[in-house]
Amino acid sequence: MTTTEIRKKIAESSESDWFNSVEVTIEYPHIEFSLTLKGFSSIHKFVSQQLAGWEKLENIPSELNSSKQHFNTLKGRLDNFLNSRHLETKGNLENYWRTEKGQIQKNGNYFTYDSSQTEFLTDINNRIPDSTTGAYNYIVKTNTNLADRNNLIGSLLAYEFDLKDNSEITERRKKEKSSISKIKNDLRSQLSESETQLTGHLTKANQDYQKYVNLIDTFKSEKESLFNDWYDGTDENSGVKDKIAELENTYDSLLSLKKPAEYWNNRAKNLRTQGWISFAALIVFVVLVVWSLGELLWKVPEEIYTSFFADDKSAAIRWSIIYITFISFMAFCIKAITKVMFSSFHLARDSEERNTLTYFYLSLLNDSKVEKEDRQLIMQSLFSRADTGLLKDDSGPTMPNDFISKIINK
């Protein structure tokens, strides 16, 4: 298991405080190693680091294989303990932990992968492999057969490594070695404390997360319950469902009448604009007629007036017919433009009324119930044909022969 998985398991446990409070002291006196670790995560991390370090070393002597196997065994036991026991109660955890703690604190001839003795023995194994056993026995304080030359060489090399003589150089080396060991132990202690704090924060974060998830689930359940109670009781609450159905019908009617209402509104604007254009054309045409008549009256030739009193009245009759035709044509144009103008204003007002009637009909649907007969009457008013006023009592221009026929008929 990785350190991240260990933290996650501890965070899921109901006894996370216990996992963060367990403590072990690991001592290997033959290499002057002593370390106190607090927190299951810190212990597991230390064992994992030792195993990883041993696996990276190459050409280690066979005498150190027991150390590598020891940390491999410890890691397996810790993984198995957490996987199988993380949901146990505190009392059961205490009982099972005693065995694991004894294995971790077991005082055997074990080496850490980063100790100076491990490096020394590995170097001896690479240079003088036959002397490795003698050096190893010297470090772990085990009797060895010094009659064997290789064992003797190994013991002497270990002696030189451990203590050459009582010179100042040796004393300085011991002090530096002691200082370095102290720094390493302090660093491990700080790492152990940091690991415990990190695991504690993760546990608290996981608990807070679960707490908020439960609150959200509770809130959701309450709101769903309130909604279901309200919905189930709508049959008894003054026709709520009928009101919803009426609103849906009103919305459907709005969708069906929205386009016609927009059409009537736009048509009203266009017709009003057309009416004002016709009005402007009427003004221009009237001004043109008045100006034309003035020109005819003021600039007509003198012989036209005298021809009315002469014996030959053909010229007078000819000019009279031309003048009457011109006046009739002008009157017809003015009448046509007037009809277009008033028709445009009339249709614009009609479109505005249809647009207003549409929204009035929708408001009736929303506020009250409209009977089928009234609905048909309103729809007939909305979509009935509008009278333009253009063809009613329409007639052509009055020509001179009309006057003659009227006189003959009389």
Side-chain angles (χ1 to χ4, degrees):
M1 295 179 66
T2 62
T3 303
T4 302
E5 293 172 341
I6 291 293
R7 293 169 182 166
K8 184 178 180 181
K9 283 285 186 180
I10 294 175
E12 293 174 354
S13 174
S14 59
E15 300 294 341
S16 57
D17 292 338
W18 181 88
F19 280 99
N20 291 329
S21 64
V22 294
E23 186 174 318
V24 295
T25 300
I26 303 174
E27 294 181 344
Y28 304 136
H30 53 283
I31 59 173
E32 299 178 359
F33 178 84
S34 179
L35 178 63
T36 299
L37 297 171
K38 184 178 181 180
F40 188 90
S41 179
S42 299
I43 299 170
H44 186 276
K45 187 173 184 179
F46 169 76
V47 173
S48 298
Q49 288 176 344
Q50 288 298 317
L51 180 59
W54 278 113
E55 290 177 347
K56 291 179 181 179
L57 292 180
E58 297 179 356
N59 299 325
I60 61 174
S62 58
E63 289 80 4
L64 297 180
N65 286 334
S66 60
S67 299
K68 179 180 179 180
Q69 183 61 38
H70 172 68
F71 288 109
N72 186 38
T73 302
L74 288 181
K75 185 178 183 303
R77 295 179 68 95
L78 291 174
D79 290 346
N80 182 64
F81 177 84
L82 186 62
N83 284 326
S84 58
R85 308 296 183 190
H86 72 285
L87 299 179
E88 295 281 354
T89 60
K90 183 176 180 180
N92 292 336
L93 289 173
E94 291 284 356
N95 293 331
Y96 294 124
W97 178 248
R98 291 191 185 95
T99 303
E100 306 303 329
K101 184 177 181 180
Q103 292 294 322
I104 295 171
Q105 297 185 152
K106 184 178 179 181
N107 187 6
N109 294 330
Y110 303 122
F111 291 74
T112 59
Y113 81 96
D114 53 351
S115 66
S116 58
Q117 290 82 359
T118 300
E119 185 178 357
F120 167 72
L121 292 174
T122 302
D123 181 64
I124 294 294
N125 187 60
N126 291 330
R127 294 188 296 110
I128 317 173
D130 294 335
S131 300
T132 304
T133 302
Y136 174 81
N137 291 335
Y138 178 86
I139 292 174
V140 299
K141 300 177 176 60
T142 301
N143 294 329
T144 185
N145 183 15
L146 296 179
D148 186 278
R149 181 176 180 276
N150 292 325
N151 289 341
L152 178 60
I153 292 173
S155 298
L156 290 174
L157 290 174
Y159 169 78
E160 289 291 334
F161 174 79
D162 185 51
L163 180 61
K164 288 186 177 180
D165 50 28
N166 293 324
S167 64
E168 293 182 0
I169 296 177
T170 305
E171 291 296 328
R172 180 180 177 182
R173 184 180 66 82
K174 286 184 177 180
K175 290 178 180 178
E176 290 177 350
K177 181 179 178 181
S178 176
S179 177
I180 292 173
S181 299
K182 183 178 179 181
I183 292 173
K184 289 170 62 177
N185 290 335
D186 290 341
L187 179 61
R188 287 194 178 99
S189 298
Q190 292 295 329
L191 290 175
S192 176
E193 183 178 354
S194 299
E195 187 70 24
T196 301
Q197 292 177 358
L198 176 60
T199 305
H201 287 309
L202 291 176
T203 301
K204 186 176 183 302
N206 185 66
Q207 292 174 350
D208 292 341
Y209 170 76
Q210 292 296 332
K211 178 181 177 182
Y212 286 121
V213 168
N214 293 334
L215 289 175
I216 292 173
D217 291 339
T218 302
F219 178 78
K220 178 183 177 183
S221 300
E222 291 177 354
K223 293 305 178 182
E224 287 180 349
S225 177
L226 290 174
F227 177 80
N228 292 331
D229 293 341
W230 171 83
Y231 188 79
D232 293 338
T234 51
D235 292 337
E236 303 174 359
N237 293 335
S238 63
V240 175
K241 290 186 177 180
D242 294 338
K243 184 64 177 178
I244 294 174
E246 291 178 3
L247 291 175
E248 291 177 349
N249 293 333
T250 303
Y251 180 73
D252 294 337
S253 300
L254 173 62
L255 292 179
S256 61
L257 294 176
K258 183 177 180 180
K259 289 300 180 181
E262 292 179 355
Y263 167 77
W264 285 320
N265 187 38
N266 295 331
R267 179 168 174 78
K269 294 179 181 179
N270 295 333
L271 288 171
R272 192 171 295 279
T273 301
Q274 180 179 339
W276 285 113
I277 293 174
S278 300
F279 177 76
L282 178 64
I283 296 298
V284 172
F285 205 84
V286 169
V287 172
L288 180 63
V289 169
V290 172
W291 177 80
S292 300
L293 290 176
E295 290 291 322
L296 287 173
L297 292 175
W298 288 102
K299 296 182 179 182
V300 69
E302 184 69 23
E303 58 270 14
I304 294 177
Y305 293 109
T306 59
S307 64
F308 282 98
F309 303 99
D311 294 335
D312 187 8
K313 295 182 172 35
S314 60
I317 294 172
R318 183 174 64 252
W319 280 104
S320 297
I321 293 173
I322 294 173
Y323 186 75
I324 292 172
T325 303
F326 176 75
I327 294 298
S328 299
F329 178 74
M330 291 294 181
F332 175 77
C333 291
I334 292 174
K335 182 179 179 181
I337 294 175
T338 304
K339 280 188 175 184
V340 171
M341 180 185 70
F342 285 111
S343 176
S344 298
F345 285 124
H346 166 71
L347 293 176
R349 178 62 62 85
D350 183 75
S351 298
E352 290 176 350
E353 290 179 354
R354 290 171 189 265
N355 184 45
T356 304
L357 183 60
T358 300
Y359 288 103
F360 175 71
Y361 171 67
L362 292 175
S363 65
L364 288 179
L365 290 179
N366 187 35
D367 296 336
S368 60
K369 184 177 180 180
V370 181
E371 298 295 338
K372 183 176 181 181
E373 293 79 6
D374 297 335
R375 188 191 303 269
Q376 292 178 351
L377 181 61
I378 294 174
M379 285 297 177
Q380 184 178 1
S381 300
L382 284 175
F383 297 100
S384 62
R385 181 179 178 182
D387 185 12
T388 62
L390 293 176
L391 302 178
K392 184 179 180 181
D393 298 332
D394 198 9
S395 62
T398 302
M399 302 300 291
N401 59 352
D402 291 339
F403 291 105
I404 298 173
S405 61
K406 289 180 180 179
I407 294 173
I408 295 175
N409 290 332
K410 289 182 179 180

